[in-house]
Amino acid sequence: MTLDLGPATTTLSDLVASVTDDQLALPTPCTAYSVGDLVEHVGGLALAFAEAARKAPSPGSGQGGSGDASRLEDGWRERIASDLGQLAQAWRDPAAYDGMTAAGGVDLPGEVAAAVALNEVVVHGWDLATALGRPFAVTEADVAACLSFARPFSSPETAADRGTAFGAVLPVPDGATPLVELLALLGRRG
């Protein structure tokens, strides 16, 4: 099954384009990152996961963005928007889901890489919208796909396998929407 990253990457592109220079130092729900650090990370992950879809990583891009706002160059808003568009396009190719690929220095099946990419775009889109005080729009299909990815590694038995990419799993409130459940599984209060 192919995923359409287009809606999520469009939302994130719009958010990135709206960031003003004076907002770059704002904190985000992704506690290790300021807005600028998060935006730089998003730019890098867009490249890394587009290359994973093409199974053609370039030297130095496999780790995604460093999460360092000082690396944002002139024209970063346009570049990141373009890279997010290319990310969505790359995962429209059914061949992207075949066989193995690599992203972030990890070898994984193509279909898993697509799920990771969508999850990164959706969750970091929410992080950025929250930091900027902007509304966040996401499709039900995207949240469902992200939940299918997040649930298997969000149990107490898998806590050691989560690494530092996400916060500790938080309790899911009764009656939570699927988005709030996803955020709780990834250590965020929605």
Side-chain angles (χ1 to χ4, degrees), residues 42-166:
V42 164
L45 76 84
L47 286 175
F49 281 98
E51 290 171 354
R54 296 182 194 106
K55 298 177 177 62
S58 62
S61 70
Q63 293 297 324
S66 63
D68 180 357
S70 71
R71 297 181 63 182
L72 292 171
E73 76 289 356
D74 289 341
W76 57 265
R77 291 171 186 85
E78 295 79 16
R79 176 190 53 83
I80 293 172
S82 174
D83 291 344
L84 285 165
Q86 290 177 41
L87 172 65
Q89 185 59 37
W91 287 104
R92 288 185 179 115
D93 182 353
Y97 298 81
D98 295 338
M100 297 293 290
T101 191
V106 177
D107 293 331
L108 62 170
E111 63 189 28
V112 173
V116 172
L118 178 62
N119 190 71
E120 288 277 329
V121 170
V122 168
V123 174
H124 287 321
W126 180 86
D127 288 336
L128 187 55
T130 300
L132 299 175
R134 303 265 320 267
F136 179 68
V138 64
T139 68
E140 290 178 22
D142 285 352
V143 173
C146 290
L147 279 168
S148 292
F149 166 76
R151 283 182 180 135
F153 72 92
S154 297
S155 66
E157 299 81 30
T158 60
D161 300 330
R162 288 172 61 88
T164 59
F166 305 108

